[in-house]
Structures are given as structure tokens and as C-alpha cells.
Amino acid sequence: MLIEIRKKPFNAYQEIQAYLENLDLAGQYGATASFVGSMRDFNEDKKVTYMTLEHYPGMTEKHLETIAKEAIEKWQLLDVLILHRVGKVKISEDIVLVATWSAHRKEAFESCRMIMEQLKSGAPFWKKEETNSGSQWVEKNTPGY
Amino acid sequence: MLIEIRKKPFNAYQEIQAYLENLDLAGQYGATASFVGSMRDFNEDKKVTYMTLEHYPGMTEKHLETIAKEAIEKWQLLDVLILHRVGKVKISEDIVLVATWSAHRKEAFESCRMIMEQLKSGAPFWKKEETNSGSQWVEKNTPGY
Amino acid sequence: MQVSVKYFASLRELMGEASSVIEIEEGTPISQLWQLIIENKNIEFENVMMAVNMEYVKSEHQLKSGDEVAFFPPVTGG
Amino acid sequence: MQVSVKYFASLRELMGEASSVIEIEEGTPISQLWQLIIENKNIEFENVMMAVNMEYVKSEHQLKSGDEVAFFPPVTGG
């Protein structure tokens, strides 16, 4: 299990690949589900130029760890990887990566989605968007189900 | 949209990355869901040494294309990538990759999972496993929901 | 008229051939062709899937000259 | 007794400070501390989320000396 808050841009697929190469799970997992959230240039019809992501150092990591551990237990996952950007995020950069490994696809799909929903509803991150009509805090997320 | 049947091993995450670099979607997609099915060394308590994957050249590609196009229409996806191995597959090699790109996460998650289920229930592929008790055709898939 | 018939996976092994060209009457339902094949070969095979010209069809689908017919077991990809 | 209080995001901006140390009585419910803060600052803020020592708590949670208390708006990560 790896949970990291990143201040610099990361490439989600290189991260999964690099993480996978250090795992000793070859032949054990049949299913990997992953989700990558990336920075769009629009939100609710407003043009966004960049975004600043704030978090609560300490609590954010702790909360993500709790989410991941609960998912591992509930779905008997083999492993979980969660990365999340903070700081100034530019268009098309990756914001969040969640990957889950399991024997079968059902568990991988469900756990990956549930981790994302729990992250969005509970992990202490806040987005401030710089748009063509000034800067503003994002007040709520789009629904996930 | 890219749909390919691969005779040689591929690295799923390098493939997503390479595909993404040729897309002109930067800033449009907020969500990418992906699923990778990999070769396990066991199935229903039998040790598996390798697997041979057969397909129906022509029909398999056509069927996958239909699944992908329906998903794009149903969820307003920005793009879909499907790769599938055939031939002799060794332990821990990737068998299938499905990735979907959309503005929001709900559509990405649901379409990726639905494409996998439709692929498993309808795309003409057949697995023959080489196990410690001889070789045998896989008769059915594990349930996905 | 003639149709070409393909077999895949365990059915291909059971048939001992990957394909054959079979003479039948125009409009024969695919289920009737299937019955003909398993009776001739004296085999049993459950849950066969059927396709014509690379698309799934129902058992009552009527065949035309030159059709590419395929029979195969339940699929197990992914 | 003293507790340290942190504010994040739009609330941090509204408060004009990221943290402060506040003197309250042992066992004060966190909701009462929050009322005290918004009355002192004369601000309005809906849907505040509350945490103590980096875990979410309910509004009736009673504070102890040295607690790290945090108030912040609904989270919007991912």
C-alpha cells in the first residue's frame, strides 16, 4: 500500500508501472482497476486556467490510509495505490490516481470506485479555480453515482 | 478509438500512456478509468503454468468495436482503448486492457466496467489453461457483478 | 447452396476440423444445420453459440448461399 | 485550557488566519467553540466540517487540553 501527496506533477501510468515493478504480486492478481482524475480546462461552463489544491497535512494522509485499509479488508485486495496532487495544478495535469489490485475484476472495480467516492466526500482537499471570471473555491463535487 | 488484438505481450500502462500522447484531448477529459486483466498462476485451486487464447479473427474485432461504439454513445465518452492478447500467454502477462476517457468520473467508471462485462460475455475469445492436472478449456468466467 | 462453417476452441477440437463447406438448402435455419452437423459427427455439445457473417444470430436464423457460419462454445476472454 | 485551532481553504481566507490558540474550558463541545469563533469574528459560514486531532468528530464532541481542532468547508478533492 502506498499513499502519497505530491507537490509536483506526476504521470499516473508511469507511477502505476513503477509501483507494480516493486511489488511481489506477479501471478497473484488477475485484475487491476485504476482511476485517474485530470485537470480540465472548463468547469460548469467557465474556462479554467489553473487550479490551486490545498490539503490538511497529516489528516489528509491519515484519512486516505483509513479509506485504503477499509477497502483492502472489505474486498480482500492485494494492494492499493493512491496519489494526489496539491499546490498549483495546470491544465491536463493529473490530480488523483487510485489503483486497486485483486484476484478478480468485481473486487477491483468496486473498490477503486468506492475509494474515489470516499476520497471525494471525506479527504481534506480543497480546490480553488482560476477562471476567466476570477478565482473561486470549488464548493461541491459532481455526483459520482 | 483503438481496438487491437495482440499476438505479443504488451505493457498495459505503457500502452495507455502512448495512446494518450497521440490524442488531442488535453484539458477535455477529467476522468480516465482503466481495467487490466492479467494472467494468474492459479484458477479455482489449480496451478496454471500458461494459457492459450484463441479468437475468431474478424468477428472478435467487429464485436469489440460495436461494444466500444455503444459505450461512447451511451456515456458520451471522449475515447476508448481496448487491447486483448491472443496466443500463448505466460504468468503475469497482461491479457486485456480497457480504458475510457470522459469529462466526469461516473461515466468513466460505468463505461469501463460495462465494456469489460460485455467483452467477457460476448467477445469471441477462448482460454485453454495448462495446469498441473493437464490442459483444459476454461468453461466459464467468474461473475463480474 | 453452400455455406462455409467454422468451429472454434473445444468444439474445433471435438470436430477434428476448423472449418468445412457444407451443402444445404437455401433458407435452412441455422439450428437445423447444427443438428445435421452433430448427428453426422455423432457428438454431443451443450451451450453452442452461433454466428453468421461475424454476428450473433438466433437459432431460427435462415441461411443464405455463401454465408460464413460459426459455431463455438461460450466465450471466456478478458 | 488551550486548544490549537486550524482553518482551511475559504474559511482560512474568511478568518484571515490559518491557525490560532484559543483558551476554553475543559469539556467544551466543539460546536460551542465554533459558535464562539464566528461570533467573535462576526462571520457567517455554512456547512462547516469539524475535526479533532485529525479525525472527524460530531458537533457534541468535548474538547481536551492540547487538542488540535480544525474547521473547514466541504472537501473538494479528487
Side-chain angles (χ1 to χ4, degrees):
Chain A
M1 189 176 88
L2 177 66
I3 290 159
E4 276 184 10
I5 306 300
R6 298 287 185 90
K7 293 193 171 70
K8 299 243 168 107
F10 62 86
N11 177 307
Y13 304 105
Q14 285 176 12
E15 296 283 345
I16 299 178
Q17 188 56 32
Y19 184 65
L20 199 50
E21 281 164 14
N22 287 320
L23 289 182
D24 193 20
L25 291 178
Q28 288 182 62
Y29 63 92
T32 312
S34 60
F35 178 84
V36 179
S38 311
M39 172 72 183
R40 288 182 302 139
D41 58 11
F42 62 96
N43 190 19
E44 293 173 0
D45 296 332
K46 283 188 300 289
K47 189 156 177 53
V48 180
T49 49
Y50 70 87
M51 194 165 72
T52 310
L53 257 157
E54 183 172 332
H55 76 307
Y56 181 173
M59 178 168 174
T60 305
E61 294 85 340
K62 190 176 173 180
H63 192 77
L64 291 176
E65 198 173 305
T66 303
I67 293 172
K69 284 183 174 167
E70 285 176 3
I72 288 170
E73 190 173 348
K74 176 167 183 184
W75 285 282
Q76 290 100 49
L77 302 178
L78 294 161
D79 216 313
V80 171
L81 170 63
I82 304 176
L83 302 182
H84 203 295
R85 268 298 291 287
V86 293
K88 184 172 173 177
V89 181
K90 287 184 265 183
I91 303 298
S92 89
E93 288 181 354
D94 293 336
I95 299 167
V96 61
L97 161 64
V98 173
T100 59
W101 284 267
S102 64
H104 299 290
R105 70 191 185 285
K106 180 180 193 292
E107 289 74 16
F109 273 123
E110 290 182 0
S111 60
C112 185
R113 191 170 183 182
M114 183 57 81
I115 288 172
M116 267 306 298
E117 293 314 311
Q118 293 188 338
L119 181 156
K120 292 201 80 113
S121 64
F125 291 104
W126 303 273
K127 286 173 180 161
K128 190 177 195 176
E129 289 174 343
E130 203 68 37
T131 76
N132 51 3
S133 55
S135 79
Q136 59 197 17
W137 290 96
V138 176
E139 290 188 355
K140 61 175 176 10
N141 283 317
T142 50
Y145 282 97
Chain B
M1 188 177 89
L2 177 67
I3 290 160
E4 276 185 10
I5 307 300
R6 297 288 185 90
K7 293 192 170 70
K8 301 241 166 105
F10 63 85
N11 177 308
Y13 303 106
Q14 284 175 13
E15 295 282 345
I16 300 178
Q17 187 56 34
Y19 184 66
L20 198 50
E21 282 165 12
N22 287 318
L23 289 181
D24 192 21
L25 291 178
Q28 288 183 60
Y29 64 92
T32 311
S34 60
F35 178 84
V36 179
S38 311
M39 172 73 183
R40 287 181 303 139
D41 58 10
F42 62 95
N43 190 17
E44 292 174 359
D45 295 333
K46 285 188 298 290
K47 189 153 175 54
V48 180
T49 49
Y50 69 87
M51 194 166 72
T52 310
L53 257 158
E54 184 172 331
H55 77 308
Y56 181 173
M59 179 168 172
T60 306
E61 293 85 341
K62 191 176 170 179
H63 192 78
L64 292 176
E65 199 172 304
T66 303
I67 294 171
K69 283 182 176 168
E70 285 175 3
I72 288 171
E73 192 174 346
K74 177 168 183 184
W75 283 284
Q76 290 100 49
L77 302 179
L78 294 162
D79 215 312
V80 171
L81 170 63
I82 304 177
L83 302 183
H84 203 294
R85 266 301 289 286
V86 292
K88 184 171 173 178
V89 181
K90 288 184 265 184
I91 302 299
S92 89
E93 288 179 354
D94 293 336
I95 298 169
V96 60
L97 161 63
V98 173
T100 59
W101 283 268
S102 64
H104 298 290
R105 70 192 186 285
K106 178 179 192 293
E107 290 74 17
F109 272 124
E110 289 182 1
S111 61
C112 185
R113 191 170 184 182
M114 182 58 80
I115 288 172
M116 267 307 297
E117 293 313 312
Q118 293 189 336
L119 182 156
K120 292 202 81 113
S121 64
F125 291 105
W126 302 274
K127 286 173 181 163
K128 190 177 196 176
E129 290 174 344
E130 202 69 36
T131 75
N132 50 4
S133 54
S135 79
Q136 61 197 16
W137 290 96
V138 176
E139 291 188 356
K140 59 175 176 11
N141 284 317
T142 49
Y145 282 98
Chain C
M1 67 165 205
Q2 293 183 333
V3 294
S4 75
V5 183
K6 294 183 176 223
Y7 311 107
F8 292 93
S10 56
L11 180 59
R12 175 177 50 71
E13 291 184 345
L14 191 62
M15 294 294 294
E17 59 187 9
S19 66
S20 65
V21 174
I22 300 181
E23 183 77 31
I24 50 166
E25 281 184 28
E26 174 95 30
T28 301
I30 191 170
S31 58
Q32 198 175 315
L33 171 61
W34 173 243
Q35 284 305 317
L36 196 76
I37 291 167
I38 60 176
E39 279 166 24
N40 281 347
K41 286 272 180 177
N42 195 26
I43 60 168
E44 285 185 25
F45 195 84
E46 284 183 1
N47 299 323
V48 70
M49 296 179 89
M50 306 174 178
V52 173
N53 299 328
M54 301 189 176
E55 288 191 3
Y56 287 109
V57 294
K58 293 184 177 165
S59 59
E60 60 267 28
H61 182 91
Q62 298 185 340
L63 300 172
K64 300 187 311 292
S65 178
D67 275 348
E68 176 175 302
V69 182
F71 297 108
F72 45 80
V75 302
T76 56
Chain D
M1 65 165 207
Q2 294 184 332
V3 293
S4 75
V5 183
K6 294 181 176 224
Y7 312 105
F8 292 92
S10 57
L11 180 59
R12 175 177 47 72
E13 290 184 344
L14 191 62
M15 294 294 294
E17 60 187 8
S19 66
S20 65
V21 175
I22 299 181
E23 184 76 33
I24 49 167
E25 280 185 28
E26 175 96 31
T28 301
I30 190 170
S31 57
Q32 198 174 317
L33 171 60
W34 173 242
Q35 284 306 318
L36 195 75
I37 290 167
I38 59 175
E39 281 166 24
N40 281 349
K41 286 274 182 175
N42 194 27
I43 60 168
E44 285 185 26
F45 195 83
E46 284 184 2
N47 300 323
V48 71
M49 296 180 89
M50 304 174 180
V52 174
N53 299 327
M54 301 189 175
E55 288 190 2
Y56 287 110
V57 293
K58 293 184 177 165
S59 59
E60 61 266 30
H61 181 92
Q62 298 185 338
L63 299 171
K64 302 188 310 293
S65 180
D67 276 347
E68 177 176 301
V69 181
F71 297 107
F72 46 80
V75 302
T76 55

